[in-house]
Amino acid sequence: MAEFTQKVDHSMKSLMSKQLPSTTTTLIHRAIVGAPDWWRDAVIYQVYPRSFADSNGDGIGDLPGVTARLDHLVELGVDAIWLSPFYRSPLKDGGYDVADYREVDPLLGTLADVDALLAAAHEQGLRVLVDLVPNHTSSAHGWFQEALASAPGSAARDRYVFRTGRGELGEEPPNNWLSKFGGPAWTRVTEADDSPGEWYLHLFDSSQPDLNWENAQVHAEFEQVLRFWLDRGVDGFRIDVAHGLVKAPELPDWTGRTTTATGRKRRPNVTDEGPMWDQDGVHEILRAWRKVVAEYPGDRVLVAEAWVQPIERLARYVRPDETHQAFNFEFLKTRWSVPRYRAVITESLEANDSVGATTTWVLSNHDVVRHPSRLGLKKAGSFPAGIAATDEQPDEHRGLMRGRAASLLMLGLPGSAYLYQGEELGLPEATALPTEARQDPTFLGTGGNKIGRDGCRVPLPWVADAPALGFSPSGASWLPQPASFARYALDTQLGVPGSTYEMYRAALHLRRVRRLGSGSLAWVVGLAGTKKKKVLAFINRDVMIVMNLGAAAVPITPGCAVLITSRRLGIDAEGRQTIPRDTTVWLRFSS
Ligand code: NOJ
Ligand code: CA
């Protein structure tokens, strides 16, 4: 007989006792009653514009390229897109170094192209989020140029974090902080009289000076930037480095764990700790922005990029008057293990539920090794800061199978989910990019010691038998596409049963019609023929999601119909369908 926690609801109770004898069922998250806010169950697709589609043949993806391919996203079935930065930028960090927050980089298009993209997306029922980069500007930004030309102590310098150095002659950096991209987080400037001068803080590249969020002009400017894009019709913002805007007063030295890798063997930026991250003051800023977006019609949203832990700390970012969503990177970093998945999902739902927020699931983005490749490593699901040709190479097939299983797990969970362009094709990380092609400041800033993120930013393959695999009409591609990408091209997967693309499309459709994103989660333990440590199973509305990570195939629960599977099912001696290793299936209860 099934056991129930106090929280279990009655409709589920009868279902369980009838169809799942001998199981233990624990409800940890209730379904939303009524129609949810759009973002609570949305699937949002991240477009990295430089690598999505090139319209004019210069080998760099651009905004008209995105507009021309929106039909792909509509067909896939996502609710919204998030565009990584397209603003004027020297592109020292893929556009996360903004020189003008109100201008489009000429390589990517024009303001008119943004307007056209917004109009076309809205016409096709897609919402559009854009990136806000408030922690730092580019050193090419007018403000920073003005600061350099101004004297120490000037108003222009106060918009950034300038300090005098330590040591007798100020020759040492003001504190011991390190840049995420390698080396000290401080760079010394030369003053107007040619003397060695103050130092400025940059948590990232030296071309990305940190703004001073104690300065009222900085607050006023970003509010205006938000309004500029809201007035143009964007549906929200992804907030870059939301946890880094405010630093501890007096900028104390940090002797604890540093997240900056100085060599490839070091653990990468698993999470951010220290006096430069997750300070209470950031929440005031997020609250002010929430008020700004709330003034506009149409349920516009904010999503925080905040690499903080534990999950309870992250939940502080999604309190009712702060950001609507925050990426769940603890889920993204989870190793390939049933107990770990069970724990992270439970903790995430409980922490977010405690503040009335949605959990925002994610497996891949432009900063991390693509998830099929992470899952194809011997330590499946480990989290290297890039994979070089000389590193252990992921097992491509196993990684793809696991990646697909992880994606079906994610899409079966209640909450919102973000997809990163190319994951719907099952793209692996490009691990053999030539040194001269690499552009990530992580790679350049560590003398190649840390391989960086170029491998997940390679332009998409659209058509197997076309120049640049359909990415660019001229065949140019700013990062070379590996030959293997032809196998993943969209045209080779369209309409092909069992292809990764068709799996994502079917999953998004099922998720929508069965309202899984606004649904419930009840763990099921003890399904016939399963081991607790090898099989993850839960019920969300009338769907049971089962993920088998064990070597032993698992029988499909009698009376359940298979809705979708991440991998071809097996057949046992009695002719019953079974779930093979590294597979997720969605099952419907028959009633
Ligand atoms: C996070 C962005 O996602 C990443 O690409 C960038 O390098 C840093 N923030 C700095 O802006
Ligand atoms: Ca182009």
Side-chain angles (χ1 to χ4, degrees):
M1 223 12 247
E3 281 173 37
F4 298 98
T5 66
Q6 297 224 307
K7 283 160 109 189
V8 82
D9 60 23
H10 290 289
S11 55
M12 191 177 285
K13 190 167 178 174
S14 64
L15 191 71
M16 314 288 328
S17 51
K18 224 170 55 200
Q19 299 208 342
L20 300 175
S22 331
T23 58
T24 306
T25 308
T26 314
L27 182 75
I28 61 155
H29 173 82
R30 286 178 188 282
I32 296 174
V33 178
D37 305 308
W38 75 268
W39 44 269
R40 286 191 185 270
D41 62 350
V43 176
I44 301 178
Y45 182 102
Q46 180 189 356
V47 173
Y48 193 72
R50 302 179 81 195
S51 305
F52 189 71
D54 171 25
S55 71
N56 61 357
D58 64 359
I60 298 172
D62 45 47
L63 296 176
V66 179
T67 307
R69 300 262 187 193
L70 287 176
D71 54 348
H72 166 61
L73 305 177
V74 172
E75 199 50 38
L76 181 61
V78 301
D79 302 287
I81 61 174
W82 146 39
L83 292 164
S84 279
F86 48 76
Y87 315 111
R88 187 183 288 277
S89 165
L91 294 175
K92 291 266 200 287
D93 183 21
Y96 284 93
D97 48 323
V98 180
D100 187 333
Y101 291 85
R102 296 173 180 81
E103 276 296 339
V104 176
D105 195 273
L107 285 174
L108 271 61
T110 62
L111 275 176
D113 292 330
V114 177
D115 293 342
L117 193 164
L118 286 169
H122 289 157
E123 172 78 28
Q124 295 178 68
L126 292 172
R127 290 180 151 97
V128 181
L129 312 190
V130 297
D131 226 301
L132 185 77
V133 188
N135 180 67
H136 43 265
T137 68
S138 161
S139 52
H141 190 281
W143 272 5
F144 193 70
Q145 290 302 312
E146 195 186 331
L148 289 182
S150 304
S154 61
R157 287 219 172 163
D158 190 57
R159 297 185 190 122
Y160 293 90
V161 185
F162 279 87
R163 293 286 185 280
T164 48
R166 294 201 281 209
E168 225 167 283
L169 303 169
E171 72 280 14
E172 299 288 333
N175 71 20
N176 69 351
W177 296 2
L178 295 176
S179 151
K180 297 269 287 184
F181 295 154
W186 296 91
T187 292
R188 194 170 196 185
V189 301
T190 304
E191 304 297 355
D193 61 1
D194 278 342
S195 63
E198 290 189 319
W199 298 72
Y200 67 89
L201 176 68
H202 51 88
L203 295 182
F204 295 90
D205 189 54
S206 58
S207 67
Q208 294 167 295
D210 278 51
L211 285 161
N212 170 20
W213 278 92
E214 307 297 326
N215 181 299
Q217 279 182 31
V218 172
H219 287 254
E221 168 65 3
F222 274 86
E223 183 177 326
Q224 291 313 313
V225 169
L226 283 174
R227 291 185 188 283
F228 178 85
W229 294 105
L230 289 164
D231 288 339
R232 284 201 113 80
V234 306
D235 298 287
F237 300 89
R238 175 262 192 192
I239 298 165
D240 190 60
V241 201
H243 61 313
L245 307 183
V246 175
K247 284 78 181 173
E250 313 302 331
L251 312 180
D253 274 344
W254 171 236
T255 48
R257 197 165 74 133
T258 167
T259 56
T260 301
T262 48
R264 200 180 295 158
K265 297 282 177 262
R266 293 278 310 265
R267 283 188 89 202
N269 50 343
V270 169
T271 196
D272 292 327
E273 289 177 34
M276 55 303 258
W277 306 115
D278 199 23
Q279 301 294 307
D280 285 348
V282 300
H283 296 283
E284 281 312 310
I285 300 169
L286 300 176
R287 288 192 182 102
W289 291 345
R290 174 80 178 233
K291 286 196 188 120
V292 173
V293 294
E295 282 177 30
Y296 286 75
D299 295 327
R300 314 214 191 175
V301 297
L302 301 172
V303 52
E305 185 221 20
W307 292 85
V308 301
Q309 65 176 31
I311 289 169
E312 289 70 34
R313 285 302 286 190
L314 185 66
R316 290 158 51 93
Y317 288 75
V318 286
R319 289 177 289 193
D321 57 350
E322 301 197 30
T323 61
H324 302 73
Q325 304 181 318
F327 297 110
N328 186 340
F329 294 128
E330 293 305 302
F331 176 72
L332 181 152
K333 292 183 303 191
T334 303
R335 294 283 291 273
W336 196 236
S337 135
V338 163
R340 290 186 197 210
Y341 273 123
R342 197 178 280 124
V344 77
I345 293 168
T346 301
E347 283 166 29
S348 301
L349 290 169
E350 288 182 348
N352 286 312
D353 284 351
S354 74
V355 292
T358 298
T359 300
T360 301
W361 310 104
V362 61
L363 285 166
S364 280
N365 67 28
H366 66 295
D367 288 331
V368 302
V369 171
R370 285 183 176 276
H371 68 273
S373 298
R374 295 201 310 270
L375 294 169
L377 293 170
K378 284 201 190 81
K379 285 189 182 156
S382 58
F383 192 66
I387 300 177
T390 48
D391 292 334
E392 178 205 336
Q393 295 300 290
D395 179 322
E396 193 171 332
H397 177 69
R398 174 178 286 182
L400 180 59
M401 290 304 113
R402 290 178 169 170
R404 290 168 49 129
S407 302
L408 272 198
L409 165 67
M410 174 173 82
L411 293 172
L413 292 168
S416 169
Y418 277 71
L419 308 181
Y420 175 51
Q421 67 180 35
E423 77 168 80
E424 77 280 21
L425 305 176
L427 278 190
E429 186 83 356
T431 58
L433 291 171
T435 301
E436 55 293 356
R438 294 196 177 268
Q439 305 204 8
D440 187 348
T442 317
F443 180 81
L444 303 173
T446 59
N449 226 346
K450 208 176 150 192
I451 200 74
R453 305 160 296 177
D454 294 305
C456 64
R457 299 175 176 180
V458 172
L460 292 191
W462 295 92
V463 181
D465 187 18
L469 304 174
F471 165 68
S472 167
S474 68
S477 174
W478 70 278
L479 282 175
Q481 297 160 301
S484 71
F485 269 32
R487 292 204 303 274
Y488 294 88
L490 177 64
D491 75 324
T492 67
Q493 302 198 35
L494 275 176
V496 176
S499 70
T500 304
Y501 169 77
E502 292 299 345
M503 181 198 85
Y504 268 83
R505 202 163 76 90
L508 293 185
H509 175 74
L510 285 165
R511 181 186 148 89
R512 186 187 299 259
V513 297
R514 300 201 168 270
R515 297 180 301 134
L516 301 184
S518 61
S520 51
L521 189 138
W523 292 122
V524 178
V525 176
L527 284 175
T530 69
K531 291 199 187 118
K532 186 176 176 189
K533 287 196 169 158
K534 296 295 174 193
V535 176
L536 188 77
F538 62 92
I539 293 177
N540 180 351
R541 298 203 191 261
D542 64 346
V543 177
M544 181 161 67
I545 286 118
V546 183
M547 181 161 92
N548 179 20
L549 303 197
V554 168
I556 299 276
T557 306
C560 289
V562 176
L563 292 170
I564 186 169
T565 172
S566 67
R567 182 178 199 168
R568 192 194 298 268
L569 296 180
I571 304 278
D572 68 9
E574 280 109 72
R576 292 175 311 183
Q577 285 187 308
T578 57
I579 308 169
R581 181 178 211 155
D582 293 341
T583 305
T584 302
V585 295
W586 294 6
L587 305 170
R588 184 174 58 81
F589 291 104
S590 54
S591 48

